[in-house]
Amino acid sequence: MSPETTESKFDFVCVCTGKDCCKHGAKKILKGYKDIKHLPGSSKRLKVVKMKCLDYCKKAPVVILQNRIVFYAENPEH
Ligand code: FES
């Protein structure tokens, strides 16, 4: 038996709020996404989700956007 699925009415952005990401600006990124209602080109509402460490700490801060990992660090490997 497979579970029933349906297309989400939301887009999701997941912001890592682990220790290293917070040290490198994750809270500011989180606030920035909370001020956005829709992603560019999408009519779906944007849901912002806080995540624990995503295991990319050396490239912090890290976000998952549309199933892609986004590295915001200007100088990764800090
Ligand atoms: S603390 Fe964000 S990836 Fe580890």
Side-chain angles (χ1 to χ4, degrees), residues 16-22 51-58 60-62:
C16 178
T17 55
K19 189 172 116 191
D20 285 319
C21 286
C22 281
M51 301 287 291
K52 292 187 177 177
C53 180
L54 297 168
D55 209 18
Y56 289 98
C57 306
K58 289 188 175 180
V62 179

Side-chain angles (χ1 to χ4, degrees), residues 1-75:
M1 182 171 117
S2 56
E4 180 182 359
T5 64
T6 188
E7 173 118 6
S8 172
K9 55 185 170 182
F10 300 101
D11 286 323
F12 292 92
V13 60
C14 305
V15 179
C16 178
T17 55
K19 189 172 116 191
D20 285 319
C21 286
C22 281
K23 195 164 66 180
H24 294 284
K27 295 259 166 86
K28 192 173 173 183
I29 292 169
L30 189 65
K31 183 181 178 333
Y33 276 114
K34 282 185 173 175
D35 291 341
I36 296 172
K37 299 275 185 260
H38 307 272
L39 291 175
S42 177
S43 60
K44 294 180 179 182
R45 287 286 313 265
L46 183 64
K47 288 278 189 192
V48 182
V49 180
K50 292 185 201 175
M51 301 287 291
K52 292 187 177 177
C53 180
L54 297 168
D55 209 18
Y56 289 98
C57 306
K58 289 188 175 180
K59 296 186 173 194
V62 179
V63 166
I64 300 176
L65 183 61
Q66 306 285 62
N67 285 331
R68 303 285 303 171
I69 305 280
V70 181
F71 302 113
Y72 276 86
E74 290 179 12
N75 298 308

